[in-house]
Coordinates of all heavy atoms in Angstrom, one line a residue:
M1 N 0.8 -1.2 0.0 CA 0.0 0.0 0.0 C 0.9 1.2 0.0 O 1.8 1.3 0.8 CB -0.9 0.0 1.2 CG -1.8 -1.1 1.3 SD -2.6 -1.1 2.9 CE -4.3 -1.0 2.5
P2 N 0.6 2.2 -0.9 CA 1.5 3.3 -1.0 C 1.4 4.3 0.2 O 2.4 5.0 0.5 CB 1.1 4.0 -2.2 CG -0.3 3.5 -2.6 CD -0.4 2.1 -1.9
G3 N 0.3 4.3 1.0 CA 0.2 5.2 2.1 C 0.5 4.7 3.4 O 0.4 5.3 4.4
T4 N 1.1 3.5 3.5 CA 1.3 2.8 4.8 C 2.6 3.3 5.3 O 3.5 3.8 4.6 CB 1.4 1.3 4.7 OG1 2.4 1.0 3.8 CG2 0.1 0.8 4.2
R5 N 2.8 3.1 6.6 CA 4.0 3.6 7.3 C 5.2 2.7 6.9 O 6.3 3.2 6.8 CB 3.7 3.4 8.8 CG 4.7 3.9 9.7 CD 4.2 3.8 11.1 NE 5.1 4.5 12.0 CZ 4.9 4.5 13.3 NH1 3.8 3.9 13.8 NH2 5.7 5.2 14.0
D6 N 5.0 1.4 6.6 CA 6.1 0.5 6.2 C 6.7 1.0 4.9 O 7.9 0.9 4.7 CB 5.6 -0.9 6.1 CG 5.2 -1.4 7.5 OD1 5.7 -0.9 8.5 OD2 4.4 -2.4 7.5
H7 N 5.8 1.4 4.0 CA 6.3 1.8 2.7 C 7.2 3.1 2.8 O 8.2 3.2 2.2 CB 5.2 2.1 1.7 CG 5.6 2.6 0.4 ND1 6.2 1.7 -0.5 CD2 5.5 3.8 -0.2 CE1 6.5 2.4 -1.6 NE2 6.1 3.7 -1.5
A8 N 6.8 4.0 3.6 CA 7.6 5.2 3.8 C 8.9 4.9 4.5 O 10.0 5.5 4.2 CB 6.8 6.2 4.7
R9 N 9.0 4.0 5.3 CA 10.2 3.6 6.0 C 11.1 2.7 5.2 O 12.3 2.7 5.4 CB 9.9 2.9 7.3 CG 9.3 3.8 8.3 CD 9.3 3.2 9.7 NE 10.6 2.8 10.1 CZ 11.4 3.5 10.9 NH1 11.1 4.6 11.4 NH2 12.6 2.9 11.3
A10 N 10.6 2.1 4.2 CA 11.4 1.3 3.3 C 12.4 2.1 2.5 O 13.5 1.7 2.2 CB 10.5 0.4 2.4
D11 N 12.0 3.3 2.1 CA 12.9 4.2 1.4 C 13.9 4.9 2.2 O 15.0 5.3 1.8 CB 12.0 5.3 0.6 CG 11.1 4.6 -0.4 OD1 11.4 3.5 -0.8 OD2 10.1 5.3 -0.8
A12 N 13.6 5.1 3.5 CA 14.5 5.9 4.4 C 15.5 4.9 4.9 O 15.3 3.7 5.2 CB 13.7 6.5 5.5
P13 N 16.8 5.4 5.1 CA 17.8 4.6 5.7 C 17.5 4.3 7.2 O 16.9 5.1 7.9 CB 19.1 5.4 5.6 CG 18.6 6.8 5.5 CD 17.3 6.7 4.9
P14 N 17.8 3.1 7.7 CA 17.5 2.7 9.1 C 18.3 3.6 10.0 O 19.5 3.7 9.8 CB 17.8 1.3 9.2 CG 18.7 1.0 8.1 CD 18.4 2.0 7.0
Q15 N 17.7 4.1 11.0 CA 18.4 4.9 12.0 C 18.3 4.3 13.4 O 17.2 4.2 13.9 CB 17.9 6.4 12.0 CG 18.1 7.1 10.7 CD 17.4 8.5 10.8 OE1 16.8 8.9 11.8 NE2 17.6 9.3 9.8
D16 N 19.5 3.9 13.9 CA 19.4 3.3 15.2 C 19.5 4.5 16.3 O 20.2 5.5 16.1 CB 20.7 2.4 15.4 CG 20.6 1.2 14.6 OD1 19.4 0.8 14.3 OD2 21.6 0.6 14.3
S17 N 18.8 4.3 17.3 CA 18.8 5.2 18.4 C 20.1 5.2 19.1 O 20.6 4.1 19.4 CB 17.6 4.9 19.4 OG 17.7 5.8 20.5
P18 N 20.6 6.4 19.5 CA 21.9 6.4 20.2 C 21.8 5.8 21.6 O 22.7 5.3 22.2 CB 22.3 7.8 20.3 CG 21.0 8.6 20.0 CD 20.2 7.7 19.2
D19 N 20.6 5.9 22.2 CA 20.3 5.3 23.5 C 19.0 4.6 23.6 O 17.9 5.2 23.8 CB 20.3 6.5 24.5 CG 20.3 6.0 26.0 OD1 20.5 4.8 26.2 OD2 20.1 6.8 26.9
P20 N 19.0 3.3 23.3 CA 17.7 2.6 23.2 C 17.0 2.5 24.6 O 15.8 2.4 24.6 CB 18.1 1.2 22.7 CG 19.6 1.1 22.9 CD 20.1 2.5 22.9
V21 N 17.8 2.6 25.7 CA 17.1 2.5 27.0 C 16.2 3.8 27.2 O 15.1 3.7 27.7 CB 18.2 2.4 28.1 CG1 17.5 2.6 29.5 CG2 18.9 1.1 28.0
S22 N 16.7 4.9 26.7 CA 15.9 6.1 26.8 C 14.6 6.0 26.0 O 13.6 6.5 26.4 CB 16.7 7.3 26.4 OG 17.8 7.6 27.3
D23 N 14.7 5.4 24.9 CA 13.5 5.2 24.1 C 12.5 4.3 24.8 O 11.3 4.6 24.8 CB 13.9 4.5 22.7 CG 14.6 5.4 21.8 OD1 14.6 6.6 22.0 OD2 15.2 4.9 20.8
V24 N 13.0 3.3 25.4 CA 12.1 2.4 26.2 C 11.4 3.2 27.3 O 10.2 3.1 27.6 CB 12.8 1.1 26.7 CG1 12.0 0.3 27.6 CG2 13.2 0.3 25.5
V25 N 12.2 3.9 28.0 CA 11.7 4.7 29.2 C 10.7 5.8 28.7 O 9.7 6.0 29.4 CB 12.9 5.3 30.0 CG1 12.4 6.3 31.0 CG2 13.7 4.2 30.6
R26 N 11.0 6.4 27.6 CA 10.0 7.3 27.0 C 8.7 6.7 26.7 O 7.6 7.3 27.1 CB 10.5 8.0 25.8 CG 11.3 9.2 26.0 CD 11.6 10.0 24.8 NE 13.0 10.3 24.8 CZ 14.0 9.8 24.0 NH1 13.6 9.0 23.0 NH2 15.2 10.1 24.1
W27 N 8.7 5.5 26.1 CA 7.4 4.8 25.9 C 6.7 4.4 27.1 O 5.5 4.4 27.3 CB 7.7 3.6 25.0 CG 7.8 4.0 23.5 CD1 8.9 4.0 22.8 CD2 6.7 4.4 22.7 NE1 8.6 4.4 21.5 CE2 7.2 4.6 21.4 CE3 5.3 4.6 22.9 CZ2 6.4 5.1 20.3 CZ3 4.6 5.0 21.8 CH2 5.1 5.2 20.6
A28 N 7.5 4.0 28.1 CA 6.9 3.6 29.4 C 6.3 4.8 30.1 O 5.2 4.7 30.7 CB 8.0 3.0 30.3
A29 N 7.0 6.0 30.0 CA 6.4 7.2 30.6 C 5.1 7.6 29.9 O 4.1 8.0 30.5 CB 7.4 8.3 30.5
F30 N 5.1 7.4 28.6 CA 3.9 7.7 27.8 C 2.8 6.8 28.3 O 1.6 7.2 28.5 CB 4.2 7.4 26.3 CG 3.0 7.6 25.5 CD1 2.4 8.8 25.2 CD2 2.4 6.5 24.9 CE1 1.3 8.9 24.4 CE2 1.3 6.6 24.0 CZ 0.7 7.8 23.8
S31 N 3.0 5.5 28.6 CA 2.0 4.6 29.0 C 1.6 4.9 30.4 O 0.4 4.7 30.8 CB 2.5 3.1 28.9 OG 3.4 2.9 29.9
C32 N 2.5 5.5 31.2 CA 2.1 5.9 32.6 C 1.1 7.0 32.6 O 0.4 7.2 33.6 CB 3.4 6.3 33.4 SG 4.5 5.0 33.8
V33 N 1.1 7.8 31.5 CA 0.1 8.8 31.4 C -1.2 8.3 30.7 O -2.3 8.6 31.1 CB 0.7 10.0 30.6 CG1 -0.4 11.1 30.3 CG2 1.8 10.6 31.4
L34 N -0.9 7.6 29.6 CA -2.1 7.1 28.8 C -3.0 6.2 29.5 O -4.2 6.3 29.4 CB -1.5 6.5 27.5 CG -2.6 6.0 26.5 CD1 -3.3 7.2 25.9 CD2 -1.9 5.2 25.4
V35 N -2.5 5.2 30.2 CA -3.3 4.2 30.9 C -4.3 4.8 31.9 O -5.5 4.6 31.9 CB -2.5 3.1 31.5 CG1 -3.3 2.2 32.4 CG2 -1.8 2.3 30.4
P36 N -3.8 5.7 32.8 CA -4.7 6.3 33.8 C -5.8 7.2 33.1 O -6.9 7.2 33.5 CB -3.9 7.1 34.7 CG -2.5 6.5 34.6 CD -2.4 6.0 33.2
V37 N -5.4 7.9 32.1 CA -6.3 8.8 31.3 C -7.4 7.9 30.7 O -8.6 8.2 30.8 CB -5.6 9.6 30.3 CG1 -6.6 10.3 29.3 CG2 -4.7 10.7 31.0
T38 N -7.0 6.8 30.1 CA -7.9 5.9 29.5 C -8.9 5.3 30.6 O -10.1 5.1 30.4 CB -7.2 4.7 28.8 OG1 -6.3 5.3 27.8 CG2 -8.2 3.8 28.1
L39 N -8.3 5.0 31.7 CA -9.2 4.4 32.8 C -10.2 5.5 33.3 O -11.4 5.1 33.6 CB -8.3 4.0 34.0 CG -7.5 2.7 33.8 CD1 -6.6 2.5 35.0 CD2 -8.4 1.5 33.6
L40 N -9.8 6.7 33.4 CA -10.7 7.8 33.7 C -11.8 8.0 32.7 O -13.0 8.2 33.0 CB -10.0 9.1 34.0 CG -9.1 9.2 35.2 CD1 -8.3 10.5 35.2 CD2 -10.0 9.1 36.5
I41 N -11.4 7.9 31.4 CA -12.4 8.0 30.4 C -13.4 6.9 30.4 O -14.6 7.1 30.2 CB -11.7 8.1 29.0 CG1 -11.0 9.4 28.9 CG2 -12.7 8.0 27.8 CD1 -10.1 9.6 27.7
C42 N -13.0 5.7 30.8 CA -13.8 4.5 30.8 C -14.7 4.4 32.1 O -15.4 3.5 32.3 CB -13.0 3.3 30.7 SG -12.3 3.1 29.0
G43 N -14.5 5.4 33.0 CA -15.4 5.4 34.2 C -14.7 5.0 35.5 O -15.4 4.9 36.5
Q44 N -13.4 4.7 35.5 CA -12.7 4.2 36.7 C -12.6 5.4 37.6 O -12.6 6.6 37.2 CB -11.3 3.7 36.3 CG -10.5 3.2 37.5 CD -11.0 1.9 37.9 OE1 -11.7 1.2 37.3 NE2 -10.5 1.5 39.1
S45 N -12.6 5.2 38.9 CA -12.4 6.3 39.9 C -11.1 6.9 39.8 O -10.1 6.3 39.3 CB -12.7 5.7 41.3 OG -11.6 4.9 41.6
F46 N -11.0 8.1 40.3 CA -9.7 8.9 40.2 C -8.7 8.1 41.1 O -7.5 8.0 40.7 CB -9.9 10.3 40.7 CG -8.6 11.1 40.7 CD1 -8.1 11.6 39.5 CD2 -7.9 11.3 41.9 CE1 -6.9 12.3 39.5 CE2 -6.7 12.0 41.8 CZ -6.2 12.5 40.6
G47 N -9.1 7.6 42.2 CA -8.2 6.9 43.1 C -7.6 5.6 42.4 O -6.4 5.3 42.6
G48 N -8.5 4.9 41.7 CA -8.0 3.7 41.0 C -7.0 4.0 39.9 O -6.0 3.4 39.7
A49 N -7.3 5.1 39.2 CA -6.4 5.5 38.1 C -5.1 6.0 38.7 O -4.0 5.8 38.1 CB -7.1 6.6 37.3
A50 N -5.2 6.8 39.8 CA -3.9 7.2 40.4 C -3.1 6.1 41.0 O -1.9 6.1 40.8 CB -4.3 8.2 41.6
G51 N -3.8 5.1 41.5 CA -3.0 3.9 42.0 C -2.4 3.1 40.8 O -1.3 2.6 41.0
T52 N -3.1 3.0 39.7 CA -2.5 2.4 38.6 C -1.3 3.2 38.0 O -0.3 2.6 37.7 CB -3.6 2.3 37.5 OG1 -4.7 1.5 38.0 CG2 -3.1 1.6 36.2
A53 N -1.4 4.5 38.0 CA -0.3 5.3 37.6 C 0.9 5.1 38.5 O 2.0 5.0 38.0 CB -0.8 6.8 37.5
A54 N 0.6 5.1 39.8 CA 1.8 4.9 40.7 C 2.4 3.5 40.5 O 3.7 3.4 40.6 CB 1.3 5.0 42.2
G55 N 1.6 2.5 40.3 CA 2.2 1.2 40.0 C 3.0 1.2 38.8 O 4.1 0.6 38.7
L56 N 2.5 1.8 37.7 CA 3.2 1.9 36.4 C 4.5 2.7 36.6 O 5.6 2.3 36.0 CB 2.4 2.5 35.3 CG 1.3 1.6 34.8 CD1 0.3 2.4 33.9 CD2 1.8 0.4 34.1
V57 N 4.5 3.7 37.3 CA 5.7 4.5 37.6 C 6.8 3.7 38.3 O 8.0 3.7 38.0 CB 5.4 5.8 38.3 CG1 6.7 6.5 38.8 CG2 4.6 6.8 37.4
A58 N 6.3 2.9 39.3 CA 7.3 2.1 40.1 C 7.9 1.0 39.2 O 9.1 0.8 39.2 CB 6.5 1.4 41.3
V59 N 7.1 0.4 38.4 CA 7.6 -0.7 37.5 C 8.5 0.0 36.4 O 9.6 -0.6 36.1 CB 6.4 -1.4 36.8 CG1 6.9 -2.3 35.6 CG2 5.7 -2.2 37.8
T60 N 8.2 1.1 35.9 CA 9.0 1.8 35.0 C 10.4 2.2 35.6 O 11.5 1.9 34.9 CB 8.4 3.1 34.4 OG1 7.1 2.7 33.8 CG2 9.2 3.8 33.5
C61 N 10.4 2.7 36.8 CA 11.7 3.0 37.4 C 12.5 1.8 37.7 O 13.7 1.8 37.5 CB 11.4 3.7 38.8 SG 10.7 5.4 38.5
A62 N 11.9 0.7 38.1 CA 12.6 -0.6 38.4 C 13.2 -1.1 37.1 O 14.4 -1.5 37.0 CB 11.7 -1.6 39.0
C63 N 12.4 -1.1 36.0 CA 12.9 -1.6 34.7 C 14.1 -0.7 34.2 O 15.0 -1.2 33.6 CB 11.8 -1.6 33.7 SG 10.6 -2.9 34.0
R64 N 13.9 0.6 34.4 CA 15.0 1.5 33.9 C 16.3 1.2 34.7 O 17.4 1.2 34.1 CB 14.6 3.0 34.2 CG 15.7 3.9 33.7 CD 15.3 5.4 34.0 NE 16.3 6.3 33.6 CZ 17.3 6.7 34.3 NH1 17.4 6.3 35.5 NH2 18.2 7.6 33.8
A65 N 16.2 1.0 36.0 CA 17.4 0.7 36.8 C 18.0 -0.6 36.3 O 19.3 -0.7 36.2 CB 17.0 0.6 38.2
L66 N 17.2 -1.6 36.1 CA 17.7 -2.9 35.6 C 18.4 -2.8 34.2 O 19.4 -3.4 33.9 CB 16.6 -4.0 35.6 CG 16.1 -4.4 37.0 CD1 14.9 -5.3 36.8 CD2 17.3 -5.1 37.7
L67 N 17.7 -2.0 33.3 CA 18.3 -1.8 32.0 C 19.7 -1.1 32.0 O 20.6 -1.5 31.3 CB 17.3 -1.1 31.1 CG 16.2 -1.8 30.6 CD1 15.1 -0.9 29.9 CD2 16.6 -2.9 29.6
R68 N 19.8 -0.1 32.9 CA 21.0 0.6 33.0 C 22.1 -0.3 33.6 O 23.3 -0.3 33.2 CB 20.8 1.9 33.9 CG 20.0 2.9 33.3 CD 20.7 3.6 32.1 NE 19.9 4.6 31.6 CZ 20.1 5.2 30.4 NH1 21.1 4.9 29.7 NH2 19.3 6.2 30.0
Q69 N 21.7 -1.1 34.6 CA 22.7 -2.0 35.2 C 23.2 -3.0 34.1 O 24.4 -3.4 34.1 CB 22.1 -2.7 36.4 CG 23.0 -3.7 37.0 CD 22.4 -4.4 38.2 OE1 21.2 -4.3 38.4 NE2 23.2 -5.2 38.9
A70 N 22.3 -3.5 33.3 CA 22.6 -4.5 32.3 C 23.5 -3.8 31.2 O 24.5 -4.4 30.7 CB 21.4 -5.0 31.6
E71 N 23.3 -2.6 30.9 CA 24.1 -1.8 30.0 C 25.5 -1.7 30.5 O 26.5 -1.9 29.8 CB 23.5 -0.4 29.8 CG 23.1 -0.1 28.4 CD 22.6 1.3 28.3 OE1 22.7 2.1 29.2 OE2 22.2 1.6 27.2
R72 N 25.7 -1.3 31.8 CA 27.0 -1.2 32.4 C 27.7 -2.5 32.5 O 28.9 -2.6 32.2 CB 26.8 -0.6 33.9 CG 26.5 0.9 33.9 CD 26.6 1.4 35.3 NE 25.8 0.7 36.3 CZ 24.6 1.1 36.6 NH1 24.0 2.2 36.1 NH2 23.9 0.4 37.5
S73 N 27.0 -3.6 32.8 CA 27.6 -4.9 32.9 C 28.1 -5.3 31.5 O 29.2 -5.9 31.3 CB 26.6 -5.9 33.4 OG 26.3 -5.7 34.7
A74 N 27.3 -5.1 30.4 CA 27.7 -5.4 29.1 C 28.9 -4.6 28.7 O 29.9 -5.1 28.0 CB 26.6 -5.2 28.1
A75 N 29.0 -3.3 29.0 CA 30.1 -2.5 28.7 C 31.4 -3.0 29.4 O 32.5 -3.0 28.8 CB 29.8 -1.0 29.0
R76 N 31.2 -3.3 30.7 CA 32.3 -3.8 31.4 C 32.9 -5.1 30.9 O 34.1 -5.3 30.7 CB 31.9 -4.0 32.9 CG 33.1 -4.3 33.8 CD 32.6 -4.4 35.3 NE 31.6 -3.4 35.7 CZ 30.4 -3.7 36.1 NH1 30.1 -5.0 36.3 NH2 29.6 -2.8 36.5
A77 N 32.0 -6.0 30.5 CA 32.4 -7.3 29.9 C 33.1 -7.1 28.6 O 34.1 -7.8 28.2 CB 31.2 -8.2 29.7
L78 N 32.6 -6.1 27.8 CA 33.2 -5.8 26.5 C 34.6 -5.3 26.7 O 35.5 -5.6 26.0 CB 32.4 -4.9 25.7 CG 32.9 -4.5 24.3 CD1 32.9 -5.7 23.4 CD2 32.0 -3.4 23.7
A79 N 34.8 -4.4 27.7 CA 36.1 -3.8 28.0 C 37.0 -4.9 28.5 O 38.2 -4.8 28.1 CB 35.9 -2.7 29.1
E80 N 36.6 -5.8 29.2 CA 37.5 -6.9 29.7 C 37.9 -7.8 28.6 O 39.0 -8.4 28.6 CB 36.8 -7.7 30.8 CG 36.6 -6.9 32.1 CD 35.9 -7.7 33.2 OE1 35.4 -8.8 32.9 OE2 35.7 -7.2 34.3
Q81 N 37.1 -8.0 27.6 CA 37.4 -8.8 26.5 C 38.5 -8.2 25.6 O 39.3 -8.9 25.0 CB 36.2 -9.1 25.6 CG 35.2 -10.1 26.3 CD 34.0 -10.3 25.4 OE1 33.8 -9.7 24.4 NE2 33.1 -11.3 25.8
T82 N 38.5 -6.9 25.5 CA 39.4 -6.2 24.6 C 40.8 -6.0 25.3 O 41.7 -5.8 24.6 CB 38.9 -4.8 24.2 OG1 38.6 -4.0 25.4 CG2 37.6 -5.0 23.4
V83 N 40.9 -6.1 26.6 CA 42.2 -5.9 27.3 C 42.9 -7.3 27.3 O 42.3 -8.3 27.7 CB 42.0 -5.4 28.7 CG1 43.3 -5.4 29.5 CG2 41.3 -4.0 28.7
P84 N 44.1 -7.4 26.8 CA 44.8 -8.7 26.8 C 45.1 -9.1 28.2 O 45.4 -8.3 29.1 CB 46.0 -8.4 25.9 CG 46.3 -7.0 26.0 CD 44.9 -6.3 26.2
H85 N 45.2 -10.4 28.4 CA 45.6 -10.9 29.7 C 47.0 -10.7 29.9 O 47.9 -10.9 29.1 CB 45.3 -12.4 29.7 CG 45.5 -13.1 31.0 ND1 44.8 -12.7 32.1 CD2 46.4 -14.0 31.4 CE1 45.2 -13.5 33.1 NE2 46.2 -14.3 32.7
R86 N 47.4 -10.2 31.1 CA 48.8 -9.8 31.4 C 49.6 -10.9 32.0 O 50.7 -10.7 32.3 CB 48.7 -8.6 32.3 CG 48.1 -7.4 31.6 CD 48.2 -6.2 32.5 NE 49.7 -5.8 32.5 CZ 50.1 -4.7 33.1 NH1 49.3 -4.0 33.8 NH2 51.4 -4.5 33.1
G87 N 49.1 -12.1 32.1 CA 49.9 -13.2 32.7 C 49.6 -13.4 34.1 O 48.8 -12.8 34.8
R88 N 50.4 -14.4 34.7 CA 50.1 -14.8 36.0 C 50.3 -13.7 37.1 O 49.6 -13.6 38.0 CB 51.0 -16.0 36.3 CG 50.8 -16.6 37.7 CD 51.6 -17.8 37.8 NE 51.5 -18.4 39.1 CZ 52.2 -19.4 39.6 NH1 53.1 -19.9 38.9 NH2 52.0 -19.8 40.8
H89 N 51.4 -13.0 36.9 CA 51.7 -12.0 38.0 C 51.4 -10.5 37.5 O 51.9 -9.6 38.1 CB 53.1 -12.1 38.4 CG 53.4 -13.4 39.1 ND1 52.9 -13.7 40.3 CD2 54.1 -14.5 38.6 CE1 53.3 -15.0 40.6 NE2 54.0 -15.5 39.6
G90 N 50.8 -10.4 36.3 CA 50.5 -9.0 35.9 C 51.6 -8.3 35.2 O 51.6 -7.1 35.0
R91 N 52.7 -9.0 34.9 CA 53.9 -8.4 34.3 C 53.7 -8.3 32.8 O 53.1 -9.2 32.2 CB 55.2 -9.1 34.7 CG 55.5 -9.1 36.1 CD 56.8 -9.8 36.3 NE 57.1 -9.8 37.7 CZ 57.5 -10.9 38.4 NH1 57.6 -12.0 37.8 NH2 57.8 -10.8 39.7
T92 N 54.3 -7.3 32.2 CA 54.4 -7.3 30.8 C 55.7 -7.6 30.3 O 56.7 -7.7 31.0 CB 54.0 -5.8 30.3 OG1 55.0 -4.9 30.8 CG2 52.6 -5.4 30.7
G93 N 55.9 -7.9 29.0 CA 57.2 -8.2 28.4 C 57.5 -9.7 28.6 O 56.7 -10.5 29.1
A94 N 58.7 -10.1 28.2 CA 59.1 -11.5 28.2 C 60.0 -11.8 29.3 O 60.9 -12.7 29.2 CB 59.8 -11.9 26.8
G95 N 60.0 -11.1 30.4 CA 60.8 -11.4 31.5 C 62.1 -10.6 31.6 O 63.1 -11.1 32.2
A96 N 62.1 -9.5 31.0 CA 63.4 -8.7 30.9 C 63.8 -8.2 32.3 O 64.9 -7.9 32.5 CB 63.2 -7.5 30.0
H97 N 62.8 -8.0 33.2 CA 63.2 -7.5 34.5 C 63.1 -8.5 35.6 O 63.0 -8.1 36.8 CB 62.2 -6.3 34.8 CG 62.2 -5.2 33.8 ND1 63.2 -4.3 33.8 CD2 61.4 -4.9 32.8 CE1 63.1 -3.5 32.8 NE2 61.9 -3.8 32.2
R98 N 63.2 -9.7 35.3 CA 63.1 -10.7 36.4 C 64.5 -10.8 37.1 O 65.5 -10.7 36.5 CB 62.8 -12.1 35.8 CG 61.3 -12.1 35.3 CD 60.9 -13.4 34.9 NE 59.5 -13.3 34.4 CZ 58.8 -14.4 34.0 NH1 59.4 -15.6 34.1 NH2 57.6 -14.2 33.6
G99 N 64.4 -11.1 38.3 CA 65.6 -11.2 39.1 C 66.0 -9.9 39.8 O 66.1 -9.8 41.0
G100 N 66.4 -9.0 39.0 CA 66.7 -7.7 39.5 C 68.1 -7.5 40.0 O 68.7 -6.4 40.0
R101 N 68.8 -8.6 40.5 CA 70.1 -8.4 41.1 C 71.2 -8.7 40.2 O 72.4 -8.4 40.5 CB 70.2 -9.4 42.3 CG 69.3 -9.0 43.5 CD 69.6 -9.9 44.6 NE 68.7 -9.7 45.7 CZ 68.8 -10.3 46.8 NH1 69.7 -11.2 47.0 NH2 68.0 -10.0 47.8
H102 N 71.0 -9.4 39.2 CA 72.1 -9.9 38.3 C 71.9 -9.3 36.9 O 71.4 -9.8 36.0 CB 72.0 -11.5 38.1 CG 72.0 -12.2 39.4 ND1 73.0 -12.2 40.3 CD2 70.9 -12.8 40.1 CE1 72.7 -12.9 41.4 NE2 71.4 -13.3 41.3
P103 N 72.5 -8.1 36.7 CA 72.4 -7.4 35.4 C 73.2 -8.0 34.3 O 72.9 -7.9 33.2 CB 72.9 -6.0 35.7 CG 73.9 -6.2 36.9 CD 73.3 -7.3 37.7
G104 N 74.3 -8.8 34.6 CA 75.1 -9.3 33.5 C 74.9 -10.7 33.1 O 75.6 -11.2 32.2
G105 N 74.0 -11.4 33.7 CA 73.8 -12.8 33.3 C 74.4 -13.7 34.3 O 74.6 -13.4 35.4
A106 N 74.8 -14.9 33.8 CA 75.4 -16.0 34.6 C 76.9 -16.0 34.7 O 77.4 -16.9 35.3 CB 74.9 -17.3 34.1
A107 N 77.6 -15.0 34.2 CA 79.0 -15.0 34.2 C 79.5 -14.6 35.6 O 79.0 -13.7 36.2 CB 79.6 -14.0 33.2
P108 N 80.6 -15.3 36.1 CA 81.1 -14.9 37.5 C 81.8 -13.5 37.5 O 82.3 -13.1 36.5 CB 82.1 -16.0 37.8 CG 82.5 -16.6 36.4 CD 81.3 -16.4 35.5
V109 N 81.6 -12.8 38.5 CA 82.2 -11.5 38.7 C 83.6 -11.6 39.4 O 83.7 -12.3 40.4 CB 81.2 -10.6 39.5 CG1 81.8 -9.2 39.7 CG2 79.9 -10.6 38.9
D110 N 84.6 -10.9 38.8 CA 86.0 -11.0 39.4 C 86.2 -9.9 40.4 O 85.8 -8.9 40.5 CB 87.0 -10.8 38.3 CG 87.1 -12.0 37.4 OD1 86.8 -13.1 37.9 OD2 87.4 -11.8 36.2

């Protein structure tokens, strides 16, 4: 169909959101407003709609915190994967500084 939303998006290049968590939170905040308004329009009491709104806000806040924590954990795991393992004792190099007391090797000193 030429007037559908899918047709218009097929021509446009896909744009990823820089912060998908913020997009989810925005939609959740929208639902925190939309659901109580809908309940009021359908005849629910103001107290019931306010209670529903409070519950949705609590769930939204908890989900946002969990999403942010998951983001931080994923970023930390990615950073740990990119850093090379430094060995058993955390030293770099091929052992150039081991020993410390014998600068000349195994030759006897006169």
Side-chain angles (χ1 to χ4, degrees):
M1 298 171 124
T4 63
R5 188 177 189 178
D6 294 334
H7 179 69
R9 291 194 52 100
D11 295 339
Q15 295 178 354
D16 291 334
S17 174
D19 189 13
V21 173
S22 293
D23 290 345
V24 171
V25 171
R26 269 191 229 112
W27 278 107
F30 175 71
S31 72
C32 288
V33 173
L34 182 65
V35 169
V37 168
T38 305
L39 289 174
L40 288 174
I41 290 172
C42 291
Q44 182 76 13
S45 69
F46 181 76
T52 301
L56 287 172
V57 168
V59 169
T60 299
C61 291
C63 289
R64 180 182 181 271
L66 290 172
L67 284 168
R68 292 290 181 191
Q69 181 181 6
E71 244 183 5
R72 285 190 303 266
S73 297
R76 191 177 318 121
L78 182 63
E80 288 175 358
Q81 287 178 355
T82 58
V83 175
H85 184 63
R86 295 187 69 177
R88 183 174 177 190
H89 297 289
R91 295 184 180 131
T92 59
H97 298 286
R98 292 190 182 183
R101 293 186 182 182
H102 307 291
V109 179
D110 289 330

